Amino acid sequence: MKAVRFHQHGGPEVLRYEEAPEPELAPGEVLIRVGACALNHLDLWERGGLERVTFPMPHISGSDVAGEVVASAAPDVATGRRVMLQPGMSCGRCAACLSGKDNECAQYEALGYLNHPGGYAELVKVPVQNLVPIPDEIDFVTAAAFPLTFLTAWHMLMTRARLKRGDDVLVLAAGSGVGQAAIQIAFLHGARVFATAGSDDKLERARSLGALEVIHHHKQDIAEEIKRLTNRRGVDVVIEHVGQATWSASVRSLARGGRLVTCGATTGPNGALDLRALFAKQLSIQGSYMGTKGELLRVARFFFAGQLRPVIDRTYPLANAADAQRRLQESGQFGKIVLEV
Ligand SMILES: [Zn+2]
């Protein structure tokens, strides 16, 4: 099969479109002909290399996949079935998995990360538990753009922050995958949504997804704007994934009893915290990593019913994965960048 692989860490130029061995199915696994694979920031971390993580080489990235079943070593799975894939892989038999918290499994990882070659390829294999059948009217590009970011945003808002109707929610970086998903989910659940972005065009698009007020994060002070817009109260929930560059503003934007949930650190890993503000304002700071298989099936119901829809920024042919990653790296996108296979 054709795949995009890297044999060493580096910039986008290390990605090679080349011949690779086809995956071999073990019992319980299913082979998918990839129709589309969406990019995530994780792909850039993998390609660049991470401290204390040894990636098997050559490596195939890609966590967000939609396609068609072409072979099965699991019972009751028909070939020809159109599916999107659960991006979370877990052991399926530990206490966390059996309690429905598979994203707390010690072996939990994203498809395409370490032990499970991903969707930058013509074929990918997954355990049968990771199949999510999709309706005929949803195309592969749109389906591939859905799982990881909507699962992540759902887990952050609904499970970690326990979002309630009427909450004020600040979503950072509206144009990111998590940002566009979080705006839609929060709006759908009756929140008043504030969103930040780095261009007027992106701010306008954030409004069209459901943001009531928008903040230009290069021209305006996020915390000051939030105070002004909320009559100095602050917001109940902050959806944070930018990291170092916005951390302090995110904490200062919280109302008393506010919850900050973070799932990423794109601009750097360090964030300070004034402990006096933490206890006096009774703040909660929560980490979040992807979500459970059950949660993806839940949020997918809104997708299939037309109430949530991933925003597609641009598509590229698989062979041009390096150009696609450059666009993500430069943060020029609004929504998901997708490879067509
Ligand atoms: Zn487990």
Side-chain angles (χ1 to χ4, degrees):
M1 67 170 182
K2 283 281 193 276
V4 168
R5 307 194 293 182
F6 56 82
H7 296 250
Q8 79 223 46
H9 294 297
E13 69 283 354
V14 301
L15 296 176
R16 289 193 211 159
Y17 180 67
E18 61 189 9
E19 201 62 40
E22 292 190 6
E24 286 176 25
L25 295 184
E29 291 181 334
V30 177
L31 189 68
I32 310 299
R33 184 183 308 287
V34 178
C37 178
L39 271 61
N40 288 287
H41 260 278
L42 183 62
D43 310 358
L44 307 184
W45 299 122
E46 290 161 8
R47 193 203 67 224
L50 290 168
E51 268 179 68
R52 295 189 292 275
V53 182
T54 306
F55 287 89
M57 297 284 179
H59 185 90
I60 304 179
S61 291
S63 307
D64 267 332
V65 177
E68 187 180 309
V69 173
V70 287
S72 173
D76 305 325
V77 179
T79 56
R81 196 82 191 256
R82 299 171 76 254
V83 295
M84 62 183 187
L85 301 186
Q86 286 269 9
M89 320 291 285
S90 64
C91 81
R93 47 182 190 262
C94 70
C97 283
L98 295 173
S99 307
K101 295 181 176 179
D102 45 277
N103 63 334
E104 294 179 23
C105 173
Q107 293 180 33
Y108 190 78
E109 66 171 55
L111 178 64
Y113 184 58
L114 280 183
N115 300 308
H116 305 276
Y120 284 36
E122 288 174 332
L123 296 167
V124 66
K125 68 168 189 172
V126 290
V128 64
Q129 294 88 333
N130 287 64
L131 301 185
V132 181
I134 58 174
D136 288 341
E137 62 271 21
I138 295 182
D139 60 81
F140 288 144
V141 168
T142 307
F146 185 80
L148 196 142
T149 47
F150 277 84
L151 173 62
T152 299
W154 180 274
H155 188 68
M156 293 174 83
L157 283 163
M158 308 308 293
T159 305
R160 301 297 276 146
R162 298 173 186 272
L163 183 73
K164 294 191 295 293
R165 175 167 288 275
D167 276 349
D168 285 347
V169 177
L170 168 61
V171 176
L172 294 183
S176 66
V178 168
Q180 52 95 25
I183 292 171
Q184 293 185 60
I185 294 169
F187 178 72
L188 187 66
H189 288 80
R192 187 163 71 141
V193 181
F194 306 88
T196 78
S199 75
D200 292 333
D201 175 51
K202 288 186 180 184
L203 293 174
E204 210 39 59
R205 300 191 66 178
R207 280 188 196 278
S208 72
L209 293 177
L212 180 71
E213 301 282 359
V214 293
I215 300 168
H216 194 306
H217 61 220
H218 296 316
K219 292 183 184 166
Q220 293 174 296
D221 181 304
I222 296 172
E224 284 306 314
E225 277 303 297
I226 286 295
K227 281 185 183 151
R228 187 179 71 77
L229 293 166
T230 60
N231 197 21
R232 306 209 65 76
R233 180 178 169 274
V235 294
D236 302 291
V237 176
V238 176
I239 295 301
E240 167 60 69
H241 50 101
V242 178
Q244 209 157 316
T246 52
W247 181 260
S248 148
S250 292
V251 175
R252 283 187 289 124
S253 298
L254 287 168
R256 291 179 187 277
R259 296 90 79 194
L260 184 157
V261 188
T262 178
C263 72
T266 314
T267 58
N270 296 312
L273 193 57
D274 183 335
L275 299 179
R276 294 164 299 184
L278 180 68
F279 68 73
K281 292 173 76 177
Q282 304 198 62
L283 307 179
S284 299
I285 308 287
Q286 302 176 313
S288 189
Y289 189 63
M290 296 178 51
T292 69
K293 292 186 173 62
E295 286 174 312
L296 181 61
L297 296 175
R298 178 82 188 167
V299 67
R301 286 164 55 176
F302 295 96
F303 177 32
F304 299 157
Q307 294 166 285
L308 295 174
R309 190 172 177 82
V311 177
I312 310 298
D313 172 69
R314 201 174 282 186
T315 65
Y316 292 82
L318 176 62
N320 296 358
D323 290 336
Q325 288 200 354
R326 282 186 192 99
R327 179 160 176 83
L328 181 59
Q329 200 145 12
E330 288 156 9
S331 297
Q333 88 283 5
F334 192 100
K336 299 295 284 180
I337 300 166
V338 185
L339 302 172
E340 289 190 272
V341 183

